[in-house]
Amino acid sequence: MAATVETSGIAPVGRRALRAFLRNPTAIVGSLFLAFVAMLSLMAPWLYPEDPLSMVARPFLWPGQNPAFPLGTDSLGRDVTAGLVWGGRISLAVGLAATCLGVSFGIVVGSTAGYFGGRIDNLLVRLIEIFQTLPSFLLLVVLVAIAQPTIETVTFAIAIVTWPTVARLVRAEFRTLRERDFVTAARALGFGHIRIVMLEILPNALPPIIVTASVLVATAILMESALSFLGLSDPNLVSWGSMIGSSRELLRSAWYLSAIPGIAIVCTVLSINLIGDALNDALNPRSPGIE
Amino acid sequence: MASPLLDVRGLSVRFPTGSPVIDFGFHIEQGETVAVVGESGSGKSLTALAIMGLLPRRAAATGTIAFRGVDLLALPEKERRAIRGRQVAMVFQEPMTSLNPVMTVGRQIGEVLRRHEGLSSAAARARAIELLDLVRVADPHLRVDDYPHRLSGGMRQRVVIAIAVACRPSLLVADEPTTALDVTIQAQILDLLDRLRRDLAMALILITHDLGIVGQWADRVVVMYAGRKAEEASPHELLAHPVHPYTRGLLAASPRLSAGANYRQGPLEEIPGTIASAAGEPGCPFVPRCDLVQPSCRVAPPPLVELGGGRLVACPIAAVPEAVHAS
Amino acid sequence: MLLETHDLHVRFSTQNGALHAVDGVSLGVGRGESVGLVGESGCGKSTLAKAVLRLLPVAAGRVLFDGQDVGTLSARDLQPLRRRMQIVFQDPFGSLNPRHTVESILTAPLVVHGLGDRQERRRRVEEIVGQVGLSSSALSRYPHEFSGGQRQRIGIARALILKPDLVICDEPVSALDLSIQAQILNLLVGMKRALGLSYLFISHDLSVVRFISDRVLVMYLGRIVESAAGDDLWQAPLHPYTRALMQAVPDPARRRQAPALSGDLPSPENVPPGCRFHPRCPLATEICRRQDPAFRELRPQHAVACHHAEA
């Protein structure tokens, strides 16, 4: 009898995806840059133990003028390098936390709607639509303005404007996956709803969620920067956006003050998007990256 | 004797990962129906694509595919395109995906006529209605403006066939044309293909896995296994006296309605293992599943032995008359 | 009877109104019996299977499993019955979760039903894998590493691991190659003998149904149109649809003969009045257009819904 198992030697999906991801040069570039930014941010308390808001030198030192302050100082004599490192901390923390919150909530709402369907689905879809029809940045500004700009409220507000994207995606995935035979089999075997959702369907819906989440981190960083630029951020913390915001009147005289944090934002967002693209290729079973 | 309409010799299809068709050959005369029978992985569909010149880019085909004496594999793509669709046409298995969902049936049929025969839109539409009538679609003047999703599976396959025969090809390649259809519809479609073959004087290559279809509709049968020809015979000979162990196993393993097998009378005969089990071995690909293996089988694939009456078998037991008659 | 349905109706709502996928089906499957259900696409055979397992809501009628009304049980009371009726699917690719190993696929049902401890579960999983003809090295692998036939063995193992009484086989060999079909059919017969199973075997392939069944039901557009035990159906079919189905099976004896049945399958959204087969029926007369024929027993254990079955 056919007890022979074809040994095609294909690794499980996750490991296969990782290998495909690591073969992608843009993924490597993106990951390396992001790792560099993350490392600097994590080491900020050791690299620049002093508060980045304290005035440490003569104002308007241009980059390269004084080797102690490689990226110069701003109009109040604050170290731009220190600001950049500490600001990266805020940008990444807000980006990651807001995405985690938004994705978690989006998964809960989207999977409930997609799995149960019917009236629950109708209700939740209306809710999603309400949030999606509101202009998201305006909503964000209003939320932060009402709730006082602290790092927590900014994070929370960004999560509130991003979850509907995730919910929509998860709902669509669940709606197709719940019709698959292996889910029917699970129901016929008497599996509970939570088990089916968590162990049968969700693992199969993860690839697109991961890809979307990576892009959402970039979006969240941009949102945080935009809020800070408008002054809607914690006044006691430096972020890339607030650095640009506070120097926007000096754009003609000291353009480096806006350009340096601007470049940091662009490069970070770009590297995250590169990672997202590579993840999409690696996790998408139809892409030629994996057989 | 005149050369056959299509003569395939020594055809191999190679992919970077392996060769799904190896040294395969057969021929077909004008107006004839030849069935190519095999399971998935036998290379039968790739053979069809090679004849059509529709192999994926990664694949390389060697050998000769002579159509009216001209080797298609040696032709430049431009000249092949002129033959494809016009003199040689194909019907695919899945009528749903071989039609364009956003174009009406009439436009899709007309498109072929406009491209190959330069008909005007009005003339193409009139011909499309005629063709729908030819493939026995009821109310063709109404159906011509329908989109594919409005039609049933059987109707869609009729439309696909109408597109294929629009330019009156002399060879039609039908790759599992009824596998996706219901039993009663399958019979209608096979009948239609046979009628078109007769009325349009076409030759028909019927690619199938169903030995019953072969017996009812083919003039000659070629059995493929793992990319090679295992046996070739008339359907009557093949079904009554199969010689190759694979053909014999296949016939024994399929419960036939007329034979009336029931589980209470005992199990079906089985061919053990799967088609993939001999990949990479030098000898006959059927060795791991065969119960008549001889030492020579493991060394090299057995050559085709001619048994008379156009019958070919790639197995050393064919040379032993008792073995042939015992079956 | 282990399984009975009484006048079962299943409806779907579509844009054009209600669709009667199953329209008054009464059937029974006895203990240890293998009942074949034949029909073409759209006849409602898979819907019937899912309604019996309460994977779809029943619009009217009853499903009795071992005397208990499956339709009215609470989710909690249904759980012990779930253990006793299982399903094997057609598509060996879609019916196994690609993210789980074979071991996790087979262990999960035991965990859900609280059967055995870790060691006992492992023992049962190894036992069933051996019974369906796979080696225990298969346990750590993922479904995509197997061929279609092997996957179908895994699907059968999953259905049997809870030691059910009834297994609904929904076209279990239709997606398989001919040489693999025989292996799986023999496996199903072997498991039936070994575990004393009852089958409701759904297929469009008459040869396969003839092989595996003790009794056969023929379904057309949501209804059972003929039912007969043993060879009676094959020797002397009474319904013109059954005859047409049998004649549509390709047969070398009918070389190049035109098919018996013309016309397309009607959609279940648009069921013809009177006898639902009359637009395609060679015997149809006036009464067939007006009156729905009753399902009546014409010979012992052989019932048919046709006005002209005596003819």
Side-chain angles (χ1 to χ4, degrees), chain B residues 161-182:
Chain B
I161 292 170
I163 293 171
V165 301
C167 298
R168 297 185 163 251
S170 44
L171 175 65
L172 184 65
V173 182
D175 186 5
E176 301 264 12
T178 59
T179 307
L181 303 174
D182 280 304

mmCIF file of all heavy atoms in Angstrom, chain B residues 161-182:
data_model
loop_
_atom_site.group_PDB
_atom_site.id
_atom_site.type_symbol
_atom_site.label_atom_id
_atom_site.label_comp_id
_atom_site.label_asym_id
_atom_site.label_seq_id
_atom_site.Cartn_x
_atom_site.Cartn_y
_atom_site.Cartn_z
ATOM 1 N N ILE B 161 -16.342 25.896 -27.925
ATOM 2 C CA ILE B 161 -16.178 25.078 -29.135
ATOM 3 C C ILE B 161 -16.482 25.912 -30.379
ATOM 4 O O ILE B 161 -15.777 25.825 -31.389
ATOM 5 C CB ILE B 161 -17.077 23.822 -29.053
ATOM 6 C CG1 ILE B 161 -16.559 22.897 -27.952
ATOM 7 C CG2 ILE B 161 -17.115 23.090 -30.390
ATOM 8 C CD1 ILE B 161 -17.482 21.747 -27.617
ATOM 9 N N ALA B 162 -17.510 26.761 -30.293
ATOM 10 C CA ALA B 162 -17.837 27.624 -31.427
ATOM 11 C C ALA B 162 -16.653 28.511 -31.785
ATOM 12 O O ALA B 162 -16.324 28.707 -32.956
ATOM 13 C CB ALA B 162 -19.065 28.475 -31.102
ATOM 14 N N ILE B 163 -15.983 29.059 -30.752
ATOM 15 C CA ILE B 163 -14.816 29.904 -31.005
ATOM 16 C C ILE B 163 -13.720 29.068 -31.680
ATOM 17 O O ILE B 163 -13.079 29.504 -32.637
ATOM 18 C CB ILE B 163 -14.289 30.514 -29.682
ATOM 19 C CG1 ILE B 163 -15.314 31.498 -29.130
ATOM 20 C CG2 ILE B 163 -12.941 31.188 -29.887
ATOM 21 C CD1 ILE B 163 -15.002 32.000 -27.744
ATOM 22 N N ALA B 164 -13.541 27.838 -31.175
ATOM 23 C CA ALA B 164 -12.474 26.988 -31.707
ATOM 24 C C ALA B 164 -12.710 26.628 -33.176
ATOM 25 O O ALA B 164 -11.770 26.584 -33.961
ATOM 26 C CB ALA B 164 -12.343 25.723 -30.856
ATOM 27 N N VAL B 165 -13.967 26.385 -33.558
ATOM 28 C CA VAL B 165 -14.208 25.940 -34.934
ATOM 29 C C VAL B 165 -14.586 27.105 -35.857
ATOM 30 O O VAL B 165 -14.919 26.883 -37.019
ATOM 31 C CB VAL B 165 -15.306 24.840 -35.005
ATOM 32 C CG1 VAL B 165 -14.891 23.644 -34.164
ATOM 33 C CG2 VAL B 165 -16.664 25.368 -34.579
ATOM 34 N N ALA B 166 -14.506 28.341 -35.340
ATOM 35 C CA ALA B 166 -14.947 29.507 -36.115
ATOM 36 C C ALA B 166 -14.249 29.574 -37.475
ATOM 37 O O ALA B 166 -14.856 29.919 -38.475
ATOM 38 C CB ALA B 166 -14.711 30.785 -35.318
ATOM 39 N N CYS B 167 -12.947 29.264 -37.510
ATOM 40 C CA CYS B 167 -12.216 29.370 -38.774
ATOM 41 C C CYS B 167 -12.093 28.030 -39.468
ATOM 42 O O CYS B 167 -11.192 27.850 -40.303
ATOM 43 C CB CYS B 167 -10.831 29.969 -38.513
ATOM 44 S SG CYS B 167 -10.919 31.614 -37.839
ATOM 45 N N ARG B 168 -12.957 27.099 -39.120
ATOM 46 C CA ARG B 168 -12.944 25.760 -39.730
ATOM 47 C C ARG B 168 -11.557 25.143 -39.719
ATOM 48 O O ARG B 168 -10.948 24.885 -40.762
ATOM 49 C CB ARG B 168 -13.471 25.812 -41.156
ATOM 50 C CG ARG B 168 -14.905 26.247 -41.187
ATOM 51 C CD ARG B 168 -15.448 26.187 -42.586
ATOM 52 N NE ARG B 168 -16.899 26.219 -42.524
ATOM 53 C CZ ARG B 168 -17.665 25.175 -42.799
ATOM 54 N NH1 ARG B 168 -17.128 24.043 -43.152
ATOM 55 N NH2 ARG B 168 -18.968 25.275 -42.711
ATOM 56 N N PRO B 169 -11.018 24.885 -38.533
ATOM 57 C CA PRO B 169 -9.679 24.303 -38.450
ATOM 58 C C PRO B 169 -9.704 22.875 -38.968
ATOM 59 O O PRO B 169 -10.752 22.232 -38.986
ATOM 60 C CB PRO B 169 -9.384 24.311 -36.945
ATOM 61 C CG PRO B 169 -10.729 24.221 -36.313
ATOM 62 C CD PRO B 169 -11.663 24.981 -37.212
ATOM 63 N N SER B 170 -8.558 22.384 -39.406
ATOM 64 C CA SER B 170 -8.534 20.990 -39.837
ATOM 65 C C SER B 170 -8.120 20.078 -38.686
ATOM 66 O O SER B 170 -8.206 18.865 -38.797
ATOM 67 C CB SER B 170 -7.610 20.796 -41.032
ATOM 68 O OG SER B 170 -6.414 21.494 -40.825
ATOM 69 N N LEU B 171 -7.666 20.688 -37.578
ATOM 70 C CA LEU B 171 -7.327 19.875 -36.405
ATOM 71 C C LEU B 171 -7.847 20.577 -35.153
ATOM 72 O O LEU B 171 -7.583 21.760 -34.939
ATOM 73 C CB LEU B 171 -5.809 19.681 -36.309
ATOM 74 C CG LEU B 171 -5.306 18.945 -35.058
ATOM 75 C CD1 LEU B 171 -5.804 17.517 -35.032
ATOM 76 C CD2 LEU B 171 -3.783 18.978 -34.994
ATOM 77 N N LEU B 172 -8.587 19.844 -34.343
ATOM 78 C CA LEU B 172 -9.083 20.392 -33.075
ATOM 79 C C LEU B 172 -8.484 19.573 -31.933
ATOM 80 O O LEU B 172 -8.581 18.344 -31.930
ATOM 81 C CB LEU B 172 -10.613 20.330 -33.031
ATOM 82 C CG LEU B 172 -11.268 20.952 -31.800
ATOM 83 C CD1 LEU B 172 -11.021 22.454 -31.753
ATOM 84 C CD2 LEU B 172 -12.769 20.683 -31.779
ATOM 85 N N VAL B 173 -7.847 20.273 -31.000
ATOM 86 C CA VAL B 173 -7.285 19.606 -29.828
ATOM 87 C C VAL B 173 -8.213 19.898 -28.655
ATOM 88 O O VAL B 173 -8.387 21.060 -28.278
ATOM 89 C CB VAL B 173 -5.862 20.138 -29.523
ATOM 90 C CG1 VAL B 173 -5.272 19.398 -28.339
ATOM 91 C CG2 VAL B 173 -4.960 20.004 -30.734
ATOM 92 N N ALA B 174 -8.826 18.873 -28.101
ATOM 93 C CA ALA B 174 -9.753 19.063 -26.985
ATOM 94 C C ALA B 174 -9.141 18.455 -25.741
ATOM 95 O O ALA B 174 -8.979 17.242 -25.634
ATOM 96 C CB ALA B 174 -11.096 18.423 -27.304
ATOM 97 N N ASP B 175 -8.762 19.322 -24.778
ATOM 98 C CA ASP B 175 -8.098 18.860 -23.558
ATOM 99 C C ASP B 175 -9.137 18.684 -22.458
ATOM 100 O O ASP B 175 -9.607 19.657 -21.886
ATOM 101 C CB ASP B 175 -7.023 19.867 -23.142
ATOM 102 C CG ASP B 175 -6.198 19.364 -21.965
ATOM 103 O OD1 ASP B 175 -6.403 18.211 -21.552
ATOM 104 O OD2 ASP B 175 -5.359 20.128 -21.456
ATOM 105 N N GLU B 176 -9.492 17.453 -22.160
ATOM 106 C CA GLU B 176 -10.487 17.128 -21.139
ATOM 107 C C GLU B 176 -11.722 18.025 -21.295
ATOM 108 O O GLU B 176 -12.146 18.696 -20.349
ATOM 109 C CB GLU B 176 -9.907 17.338 -19.727
ATOM 110 C CG GLU B 176 -8.670 16.510 -19.442
ATOM 111 C CD GLU B 176 -8.983 15.210 -18.707
ATOM 112 O OE1 GLU B 176 -10.167 14.849 -18.616
ATOM 113 O OE2 GLU B 176 -8.026 14.560 -18.263
ATOM 114 N N PRO B 177 -12.348 18.022 -22.468
ATOM 115 C CA PRO B 177 -13.403 19.006 -22.715
ATOM 116 C C PRO B 177 -14.651 18.791 -21.867
ATOM 117 O O PRO B 177 -15.484 19.687 -21.771
ATOM 118 C CB PRO B 177 -13.728 18.807 -24.200
ATOM 119 C CG PRO B 177 -13.342 17.403 -24.488
ATOM 120 C CD PRO B 177 -12.158 17.119 -23.607
ATOM 121 N N THR B 178 -14.800 17.624 -21.243
ATOM 122 C CA THR B 178 -16.051 17.367 -20.522
ATOM 123 C C THR B 178 -15.838 17.073 -19.053
ATOM 124 O O THR B 178 -16.777 16.764 -18.335
ATOM 125 C CB THR B 178 -16.785 16.162 -21.147
ATOM 126 O OG1 THR B 178 -15.940 15.023 -21.080
ATOM 127 C CG2 THR B 178 -17.148 16.426 -22.581
ATOM 128 N N THR B 179 -14.599 17.203 -18.581
ATOM 129 C CA THR B 179 -14.319 16.806 -17.209
ATOM 130 C C THR B 179 -15.051 17.673 -16.196
ATOM 131 O O THR B 179 -15.449 17.208 -15.133
ATOM 132 C CB THR B 179 -12.799 16.871 -16.956
ATOM 133 O OG1 THR B 179 -12.165 16.113 -17.974
ATOM 134 C CG2 THR B 179 -12.426 16.314 -15.620
ATOM 135 N N ALA B 180 -15.242 18.948 -16.537
ATOM 136 C CA ALA B 180 -15.886 19.853 -15.587
ATOM 137 C C ALA B 180 -17.403 19.805 -15.708
ATOM 138 O O ALA B 180 -18.094 20.543 -15.017
ATOM 139 C CB ALA B 180 -15.376 21.277 -15.823
ATOM 140 N N LEU B 181 -17.931 18.939 -16.557
ATOM 141 C CA LEU B 181 -19.370 18.975 -16.834
ATOM 142 C C LEU B 181 -20.088 17.767 -16.236
ATOM 143 O O LEU B 181 -19.483 16.746 -15.937
ATOM 144 C CB LEU B 181 -19.592 18.996 -18.349
ATOM 145 C CG LEU B 181 -18.915 20.143 -19.096
ATOM 146 C CD1 LEU B 181 -19.096 19.958 -20.586
ATOM 147 C CD2 LEU B 181 -19.469 21.480 -18.656
ATOM 148 N N ASP B 182 -21.412 17.908 -16.123
ATOM 149 C CA ASP B 182 -22.221 16.809 -15.614
ATOM 150 C C ASP B 182 -22.321 15.687 -16.639
ATOM 151 O O ASP B 182 -22.150 15.914 -17.840
ATOM 152 C CB ASP B 182 -23.618 17.324 -15.290
ATOM 153 C CG ASP B 182 -23.632 18.016 -13.953
ATOM 154 O OD1 ASP B 182 -23.232 17.377 -12.976
ATOM 155 O OD2 ASP B 182 -24.023 19.186 -13.889
#
